Structure formats: C-alpha cells, structure tokens
Amino acid sequence: MKEIKIKDKEFEVFIQEEKIREAIKVIAQRMNKDLEGKDPLFIAVLNGAFMFVGELMKHLTIPCEISFVRMASYQGIKSTGKIKEIYGLEEDIEGRTIVILEDIVDTGHTMSLILDQLACDSPGEIKVATLLFKPDALKTELKLDYVALEIPNDFIVGYGLDYDGYGRNLADIYKIKS
Ligand code: IMP
Ligand code: MG
C-alpha cells in the first residue's frame, strides 16, 4: 500500500490513476452524446479541477468551448462569515448550454453558489459535472448530471485536490489514514 505524508497528516492510496482516467472517459462519452449540437461552454472551477478537466477534454469530440473560473472567498461586511463569488468568466453565457466542471462535491454549498450566480446571467441550461462526489456529506439539494466517482465521506488528496495547498500533483487519489 502506497503511503505518503503531507504536513502533519498521513494518507494512503485510495483510487489509482488508471481507474480515475477510465471513469472520466465514461462521462466524456456520455457528454459527447448528450451535448451533441448544443455548442456547450464548459466552465472549470480552479484550482482543484485542472487535472480532471485536462483528462476530460482529451475525450470530448464535440465542438465546445472552455473557460476557467475561481471562487474568491472574502469576509462579508457583517459578521455573517465568508462570502464566495465567481470571478474570471469573460464569456457571455446568455442562452448557452453550460457545463460546470468541479473537482469534488462535498456539502454541495460551493456548487449551489455557482449555480445561483450563473443563473443570474440567463444561461440556456446548466449541467453539473464533478470528478468526485461524497453522497453522505451532501447538505443541499443538487442535481448532478455527471459524476465520475462516488466516494465515502473521507478527506482525500491528489489528482488536483489538495491538503493545505499540497498534494494536487499526485497522480493517484489518497485518503487520510484514520
Ligand atoms: P463543498 O463542501 O461541496 O462546498 O466543497 C467545497 C470545496 O471543498 C471543494 O471544491 C474542494 O475544493 C474542497 N473539498 C471538499 N472535500 C475535499 C476533500 O476531501 N479533499 C480536498 N478538498 C476537498
Ligand atoms: Mg474546488
């Protein structure tokens, strides 16, 4: 069993690269069918989605565009906690088929915020794709159109996902050792 240490935490290999890539290929093939003739705009959420998106794009054969956004967190003016907002989107999404690409849906709060904000710009339809989904952690109502891999509610790193900024470069996905 491959094990690694990042800062104070130990991780063990959980999903091998081969299996991740195969799961991504499966959803890409579904997208090729579902989105044919729709001229979709993919919106990838950085940083976490970069490896997922790189692999996914290689298998998409339909005409499409891709744009990269970030979620910026800042403190609200009142003590209501952090506010998150999308930035970096330059394309006009009005009337378009949008597919959001995320690394992971955990509680679902981030994805719900993204959906709410994009809805303000009157897209034609919005679909959601995520590399990983933790069904047991979900706290919002969300329709996920494309899920590459469902995982239990453990903290993971690798394949784009980080622990405190580190581990994004790992080709396999690792889970925290209990
Ligand atoms: P949310 O809880 O669905 O809003 O997830 C928010 C963000 O938390 C995700 O986009 C990831 O960046 C991060 N995240 C959630 N679970 C994990 C994990 O297991 N490892 C690393 N990052 C995670
Ligand atoms: Mg993320």
Side-chain angles (χ1 to χ4, degrees), residues 45-49 71 84 101-104 110 160-162 168:
V45 186
L46 293 173
N47 293 328
M71 294 300 285
K84 275 180 160 182
L101 303 175
E102 254 283 31
D103 53 354
I104 188 164
T110 307
L161 290 105
D162 71 304
R168 294 193 195 276

Side-chain angles (χ1 to χ4, degrees), residues 5-135:
K5 191 165 183 199
I6 301 176
K7 298 197 165 179
D8 57 324
K9 302 254 187 298
E10 289 180 41
F11 295 86
E12 60 192 9
V13 82
F14 178 49
I15 311 171
Q16 307 255 357
E17 184 184 11
E18 199 61 31
K19 191 176 162 191
I20 304 166
R21 291 172 65 171
E22 196 47 50
I24 295 171
K25 192 173 166 184
V26 170
I27 60 168
Q29 286 165 343
R30 279 182 47 218
M31 288 175 181
N32 284 331
K33 283 204 193 101
D34 298 350
L35 305 172
E36 167 115 68
K38 292 193 168 188
D39 183 27
L41 169 65
F42 288 90
I43 298 181
V45 186
L46 293 173
N47 293 328
F50 76 96
M51 271 205 204
F52 167 43
V53 172
E55 185 62 23
L56 182 79
M57 287 295 134
K58 290 189 262 176
H59 298 290
L60 291 178
T61 52
I62 48 169
C64 60
E65 284 187 282
I66 181 152
S67 190
F68 295 84
V69 299
R70 280 173 182 271
M71 294 300 285
S73 287
Y74 57 91
Q75 206 69 41
I77 29 176
K78 290 188 185 139
S79 55
T80 43
K82 288 250 168 78
I83 296 173
K84 275 180 160 182
E85 212 169 72
I86 305 178
Y87 76 99
L89 187 66
E90 283 163 6
E91 287 77 3
D92 180 6
I93 66 168
E94 194 181 331
R96 285 198 74 173
T97 294
I98 303 298
V99 186
I100 304 167
L101 303 175
E102 254 283 31
D103 53 354
I104 188 164
V105 173
D106 187 52
T107 64
H109 287 131
T110 307
M111 187 57 83
S112 294
L113 278 170
I114 294 172
L115 286 167
D116 288 349
Q117 286 176 37
L118 291 179
C120 297
D121 295 328
S122 315
E125 61 174 334
I126 308 185
K127 292 183 180 287
V128 174
T130 185
L131 172 64
L132 298 152
F133 174 42
K134 293 180 182 171

